[in-house]
Amino acid sequence: LDIEKFHEAEKACQRALLLDRRAGAVYTALGNLYRVSGQYEQAINEFNTAISLGSNSADAYLGLGLAYKGSNRATLAEESFMKAINLQPNYWLAYMSMGNFLFDAGRLEEAIPYYQRITELMPQSEIAFNNLGAAHFVSGNFAGAAQYWQQSLELAPSSDAYSNVATSLYLEGRYDEAAELYHKAVEFAPDDSEMWGNLGDTYRQLPDGADLASAMYTNAIPLAEKRLQINPSDSRTLALMGHYQAMIGEREKALDYIDKALALAPKGIAVHYYAATALAELGEWERSLDMLEQALSLGYPVSVANADANLKALRAMPRYIELTANPR
């Protein structure tokens, strides 16, 4: 969704409301437009209007939950997702939204039953198996993750499935194989900045891969910038930009992006983790360890941190050993 398309969609919704001011589905559509552009308060107002009109739409509650999540109101977000599930118990997207919420909050074991429910409702859904695999992966059950990801790939190859399998190979140190699968992920999603960034992380671990890594990060940056044009408060993308800029040696830009991400999401697991990898690359050891400590305390898996080559400069440090031996 670019700026021009956003305004076109917004105008279409406004025209629809001129015809029917009580059309709950239109308010839900408007809410989603404002939500993806980071205008959370306006989104919340639109979703609440849809609900007040008696539409009883699970989609309105899901949008409301995502808007609350985006504005760091976790309790209200969780309540909204649960209302959607109660309203429409067989709606797979409601379970997906709750599972993703719990996953992002570091409540990994709680997320698994919601993802499992999707596989029951939609046994041919590659997305369900992909997310279920990811939940098992970060819980430390790598064998279970591989099983579900393989099922996802068999149902339908996708960028996420290839990327997750590649990530498991990357964390095992099988960088050549990981790069091959990350390239397949890029073929499916050439506009996804994270896929290019993953390639950058992988190539920098290969002999003579530094130039290729830099090129991958350079590809990722304008794609991430495009996302930020739509939603400047996307803390995850801001943190990733910090990581990419650090990896190509743009110190000041990296620090600026990290600070912005942390200000927007002071309890963001991914934000703290990517801040840690960026700061490690910049040689900011103590601050990197501070960020890693926060990420671990919020639920980031120690097993992943211990296997991530982006943190290898920290591993011999006594504080790192202490943090990963006794994470809070």
Side-chain angles (χ1 to χ4, degrees):
L1 181 69
D2 57 31
I3 292 294
E4 184 177 342
K5 289 181 180 178
F6 171 87
H7 288 304
E8 288 176 2
E10 184 180 31
K11 288 176 183 177
C13 288
Q14 296 295 352
R15 288 195 296 271
L17 289 177
L18 289 175
L19 297 173
D20 183 0
R21 299 297 299 180
R22 298 186 60 80
V26 179
Y27 290 104
T28 298
L30 267 175
N32 281 316
L33 279 174
Y34 294 131
R35 175 182 61 78
V36 299
S37 63
Q39 301 176 68
Y40 297 119
E41 293 306 318
Q42 198 161 352
I44 289 166
N45 289 337
E46 301 296 345
F47 290 127
N48 279 326
T49 299
I51 292 166
S52 71
L53 289 170
S55 63
N56 286 328
S57 168
D59 287 324
Y61 280 110
L62 293 181
L64 184 62
L66 290 169
Y68 280 135
K69 179 184 175 185
S71 55
N72 298 315
R73 283 173 274 187
T75 300
L76 290 172
E78 187 170 356
E79 289 174 358
S80 298
F81 293 136
M82 188 55 67
K83 285 178 181 177
I85 289 172
N86 291 335
L87 188 64
Q88 203 166 332
N90 292 324
Y91 188 21
W92 72 271
L93 188 56
Y95 291 94
M96 182 74 79
S97 299
M98 178 63 95
N100 290 346
F101 167 79
L102 295 169
F103 185 98
D104 291 342
R107 296 160 60 183
L108 308 173
E109 294 298 330
E110 292 178 65
I112 289 174
Y114 290 97
Y115 291 138
Q116 185 68 53
R117 179 59 177 150
I118 304 166
T119 66
E120 296 165 1
L121 291 169
M122 300 176 64
Q124 298 303 309
S125 169
E126 75 280 3
I127 298 174
F129 285 105
N130 191 49
N131 283 18
L132 184 57
H136 280 284
F137 178 80
V138 296
S139 297
N141 180 8
F142 301 133
Q147 171 192 340
Y148 289 117
W149 281 336
Q150 186 58 44
Q151 287 179 264
S152 175
L153 281 171
E154 288 172 0
L155 287 167
S158 69
S159 61
D160 284 340
Y162 276 121
S163 178
N164 279 336
V165 176
T167 297
S168 69
L169 295 171
Y170 169 87
L171 294 175
E172 291 178 49
R174 297 160 63 181
Y175 301 120
D176 284 310
E177 297 169 75
E180 182 179 348
L181 288 185
Y182 278 136
H183 272 292
K184 289 184 180 293
V186 165
E187 290 175 13
F188 276 88
D191 294 330
D192 190 328
S193 60
E194 291 194 47
M195 302 303 167
W196 290 102
N198 289 338
L199 268 172
D201 289 344
T202 305
Y203 274 124
R204 70 193 297 262
Q205 306 309 322
L206 292 172
D208 302 318
D211 289 342
L212 274 173
S214 181
M216 299 303 104
Y217 294 127
T218 301
N219 285 343
I221 287 170
L223 295 172
E225 287 174 338
K226 188 174 181 179
R227 288 180 64 106
L228 292 172
Q229 287 174 3
I230 297 296
N231 184 0
S233 59
D234 183 342
S235 58
R236 179 188 175 88
T237 299
L238 286 165
L240 281 166
M241 280 289 281
H243 175 85
Y244 303 152
Q245 297 287 359
M247 296 302 168
I248 62 172
E250 293 286 351
R251 183 185 188 84
E252 295 307 316
K253 289 181 180 179
L255 293 173
D256 183 55
Y257 278 115
I258 290 166
D259 288 342
K260 287 177 180 176
L262 290 169
L264 285 166
K267 293 186 178 181
I269 296 177
V271 167
H272 282 91
Y273 188 76
Y274 291 128
T277 60
L279 291 164
E281 179 65 17
L282 297 174
E284 299 274 353
W285 313 127
E286 284 305 313
R287 194 177 174 205
S288 176
L289 288 164
D290 288 343
M291 294 298 104
L292 181 60
E293 182 175 12
Q294 285 295 313
L296 295 176
S297 71
L298 289 165
Y300 201 88
V302 173
S303 56
V304 175
N306 278 335
D308 187 352
N310 287 318
L311 296 176
K312 62 185 175 183
L314 306 178
R315 294 226 172 88
M317 298 180 182
R319 187 179 170 195
Y320 179 93
I321 296 169
E322 181 182 355
L323 284 176
T324 54
N326 300 291
R328 289 186 295 167

